[in-house]
Amino acid sequence: MSKTAESVWNNCLAFIEDNITSQAYKTWFEPIKAVKLTDNALSIQVPSKFFYEWLEEHYVKILKVALTKELGNNAKLVYIIRMENTYGNKQPFTEKIPSANRSNLQSQEVDVPLKNKSPELKNPFVIPGIRNVKIESQLNPNYNFESFLEGESNRLARSAGLAVANKPGGTSFNPLLIFGGVGLGKTHLGHAIGVDIKDKYPEKTVLYISAEKFTQQYIESVKKNNRNDFIHFYQIIDVLIVDDIQLLSGKAGTQDVFFHIFNHLHQNGKQVILTSDKAPVDMIDIEQRLLSRFKWGLSAELNHPDYDTRVAIIKNKLYRDGVEMPEDIIEFLANNIKTNIRELEGAIISLIAHSSFNKKEITIDLARKIVDNYVKHTKREVSIDYIQKVVSDYFQMDVDTLQSKTRKRHIVQARQLAMFFAKKFTKASLASIGSQIGQRDHATVLHACKTVDNLSTTDKQFRKYVEDLSKKLTL
Ligand code: ADP
Ligand code: MG
């Protein structure tokens, strides 16, 4: 029987499926279609450039092995990316990209003329060497609503997300601001909304971007003198998802540019979705006019998951990974890791890994060991240097300023906070703390600790500093 694209690919899939987790297989390989086989070149179609990059980055070895088994040493792999249609072009179109050289699969030159070149649109996502004029959503298909379990802690945010996904730009939840602590699902939910919108409204241009990357792109655009192109690029998005906007804090230029983009999108009925690790009222060094806009729509909080939700999340993860685990161990995990879903997942993964590498049963003892390691690991000892660094960063000064002899109030406060946390989080003596924080004596440190205690009971803003810094230092 002669080989077809499908038969070759199916054999590759069988091999790959045996060698990676079922979750990864489902996410990254099931959506691929084999489209063409010519000689020893197999063309596969992937849903986005993000997808293609992910495969190249994470699965290129296994793809090579699988393909070489099927097609011999000269095997070639050609990716065909079904790009998202944007910018006035209603026809979806495809662009072929040969497997990159780093894959060691021999690459093949395929020259496909790009339709509808829009020269005035500069896309900051362009990766050198890859032709790219269309906007990819940068969404992770794995982060969808189905895998985002509902519980008391996320009900409002999740429902708001669903409402927005059903009618992007058409609800009063614009912007939708999702806020909450580390590892509680902000990024996941942000993606889920985008993924759902792409599903329901394939013609809409959806873009996920972290505030960090947005900032980098902005800085780059200023350097290259094309700030307007940058703004223009973002103004044509239908659904803009910006993750971790608290990172814009203190960055006046980026805030300004974001303000213009935001206004344009909002005025044109486009949907904006933001995530942040704090509520708008608690955001620091974000311009007032921007803050007030954040509050225009809905701010929905993600809280710590309750016990039942934690159990559900564990079970769901085990189910997706095809792993079984005794009930008492699931309960043990749910009882011991409460405030961070990422940690919960991390513990499950290491538990599974330990038991399968060492061919050990998953027992309570093993679970306890792992949770201990986990918790110890996250509770690493902080050093006085580290504390000074965190405190100065927080107040946007350098460590030298914090240690200086000045009596300026905000610097004195920062120094006192550093001393207070050094006392709280290290075993160092008052004298030793004093000598490490700007050559002060033990009485000064003692005074600092008392002052911080007093101020944090009487001064709301100050208490906020203490809480924020505690969080940062115990992360
Ligand atoms: P954040 O952005 O708030 O720090 P993430 O979105 O990265 O958190 O979530 C951390 C991990 O927890 C991710 O792997 C995510 O899939 C998972 N997770 C968070 N919330 C849920 C949920 N409700 N159901 C299932 N998994 C969740
Ligand atoms: Mg996140």
Side-chain angles (χ1 to χ4, degrees):
M1 214 186 90
S2 69
K3 287 179 174 174
T4 64
E6 217 153 85
S7 71
V8 168
W9 182 239
N10 281 340
N11 290 344
C12 289
L13 283 182
F15 174 75
I16 292 167
E17 191 174 9
D18 276 345
N19 282 285
I20 65 176
T21 68
S22 65
Q23 175 64 27
Y25 178 79
K26 270 200 203 105
T27 309
W28 299 108
F29 290 93
E30 280 186 358
I32 298 176
K33 281 199 202 100
V35 283
K36 205 168 81 187
L37 181 69
T38 34
D39 303 327
N40 47 11
L42 176 70
S43 302
I44 58 173
Q45 179 185 303
V46 297
S48 69
K49 192 162 109 300
F50 175 78
F51 213 95
Y52 147 76
E53 285 167 2
W54 189 273
L55 288 171
E56 281 283 289
E57 199 172 321
H58 298 273
Y59 298 109
V60 78
K61 282 214 188 92
I62 194 162
L63 277 165
K64 184 175 158 61
V65 174
L67 212 62
T68 311
K69 270 169 55 138
E70 288 303 305
L71 298 174
N73 283 333
N74 293 325
K76 293 172 186 173
L77 183 63
V78 177
Y79 294 95
I80 298 179
I81 300 179
R82 274 199 78 92
M83 303 274 274
E84 251 119 41
N85 138 58
T86 55
Y87 208 63
N89 179 3
K90 292 279 173 267
Q91 242 62 57
F93 79 107
T94 58
E95 181 187 14
K96 295 187 183 185
I97 294 181
S99 173
N101 286 337
R102 66 190 138 108
S103 72
N104 293 329
L105 289 170
Q106 239 185 311
S107 70
Q108 179 188 326
E109 287 308 318
V110 187
D111 208 16
V112 177
L114 295 172
K115 279 188 220 158
N116 191 31
K117 270 197 190 165
S118 28
E120 73 274 32
L121 181 63
K122 294 238 167 57
N123 183 340
F125 287 92
V126 172
I127 293 161
I130 296 177
R131 294 166 71 189
N132 177 4
V133 288
K134 299 293 155 175
I135 300 166
E136 290 298 321
S137 294
Q138 321 284 325
L139 290 165
N140 179 348
N142 211 8
Y143 280 167
N144 51 44
F145 273 114
E146 210 193 325
S147 60
F148 191 83
L149 298 192
E150 183 172 349
E152 211 46 67
S153 55
N154 61 37
R155 190 157 292 136
L156 171 69
R158 191 176 188 280
S159 323
L162 276 167
V164 163
N166 283 331
K167 268 177 99 180
T171 67
S172 53
F173 307 156
N174 199 13
L176 174 61
L177 173 70
I178 300 159
F179 69 96
V182 186
L184 293 181
K186 302 181 293 294
T187 298
H188 186 144
L189 186 53
H191 277 274
I193 298 168
V195 168
D196 203 32
I197 293 176
K198 275 313 305 180
D199 222 36
K200 291 182 171 126
Y201 304 93
E203 78 289 354
K204 283 205 192 291
T205 311
V206 179
L207 183 72
Y208 168 89
I209 178 105
S210 65
E212 194 185 0
K213 186 151 182 198
F214 181 86
T215 307
Q216 286 166 6
Q217 288 180 348
Y218 167 68
I219 293 169
E220 197 62 20
S221 82
V222 171
K223 260 197 228 149
K224 294 202 176 125
N225 221 349
N226 52 17
R227 181 175 181 271
N228 284 341
D229 292 332
F230 174 81
I231 296 177
H232 178 59
F233 171 83
Y234 276 93
Q235 285 179 340
I236 62 158
I237 308 286
D238 294 316
V239 178
L240 180 62
I241 306 160
V242 186
D243 204 358
D244 287 323
I245 44 156
Q246 78 279 356
L247 297 177
L248 298 185
S249 124
K251 295 173 181 136
T254 317
Q255 285 180 35
D256 183 60
V257 89
F258 184 65
F259 179 75
H260 290 296
I261 292 167
F262 180 95
N263 285 342
H264 183 95
L265 295 178
H266 199 271
Q267 275 159 18
N268 287 286
K270 306 301 171 67
Q271 180 71 46
V272 179
I273 295 145
L274 308 167
T275 80
S276 164
D277 69 357
K278 20 182 133 35
V281 283
D282 295 329
M283 286 183 205
I284 297 166
D285 282 325
I286 303 262
E287 275 186 70
Q288 206 46 48
R289 55 177 188 165
L290 204 48
L291 273 186
S292 79
R293 273 158 183 75
F294 291 170
K295 295 178 203 158
W296 274 356
L298 175 74
S299 302
E301 183 167 12
L302 290 174
N303 293 298
H304 292 164
D306 54 35
Y307 178 79
D308 290 341
T309 312
R310 298 198 295 274
V311 169
I313 288 173
I314 297 173
K315 288 192 171 160
N316 182 257
K317 169 120 194 78
L318 294 173
Y319 174 75
R320 282 183 293 147
D321 290 354
V323 175
E324 288 191 22
M325 202 180 273
E327 198 71 23
D328 55 333
I329 294 184
I330 295 175
E331 283 166 20
F332 177 81
L333 291 174
N335 269 320
N336 284 280
I337 305 178
K338 297 177 178 168
T339 58
N340 184 327
I341 298 171
R342 191 177 297 125
E343 277 182 12
L344 195 56
E345 290 188 338
I348 301 167
I349 293 167
S350 30
L351 196 49
I352 295 170
H354 271 271
S355 91
S356 59
F357 290 152
N358 305 329
K359 303 232 171 351
K360 271 194 214 153
E361 283 249 12
I362 300 184
T363 60
I364 276 279
D365 264 354
L366 185 60
R368 187 168 290 126
K369 248 192 219 145
I370 281 166
V371 168
D372 275 356
N373 282 340
Y374 229 83
V375 174
K376 242 182 237 141
H377 196 68
T378 52
K379 269 198 198 142
R380 64 181 152 40
E381 165 86 69
V382 291
S383 69
I384 295 180
D385 281 347
Y386 180 68
I387 291 171
Q388 296 187 78
K389 171 94 180 55
V390 169
V391 174
S392 348
D393 280 356
Y394 181 80
F395 291 105
Q396 293 174 318
M397 58 179 77
D398 45 38
V399 175
D400 284 346
T401 311
L402 179 131
Q403 293 184 344
S404 69
K405 303 277 176 223
T406 171
R407 298 295 314 158
K408 282 198 187 121
R409 204 173 92 95
H410 72 285
I411 298 173
V412 173
Q413 278 193 348
R415 191 160 57 230
Q416 290 178 327
L417 279 161
M419 291 176 172
F420 169 83
F421 284 116
K423 181 71 197 133
K424 186 165 171 192
F425 288 136
T426 73
K427 295 189 187 79
S429 66
L430 293 173
S432 151
I433 292 170
S435 77
Q436 290 181 66
I437 305 184
Q439 295 297 333
R440 305 303 205 280
D441 61 23
H442 85 280
T444 310
V445 179
L446 191 60
H447 175 69
C449 294
K450 283 189 185 148
T451 308
V452 170
D453 265 327
N454 285 340
L455 279 179
S456 48
T457 50
T458 55
D459 180 340
K460 194 158 164 258
Q461 177 65 53
F462 196 86
R463 179 159 65 243
K464 178 84 186 47
Y465 294 157
V466 175
E467 284 167 2
D468 282 351
L469 285 165
S470 285
K471 267 194 214 142
K472 283 191 197 296
L473 288 165
T474 49
L475 230 56

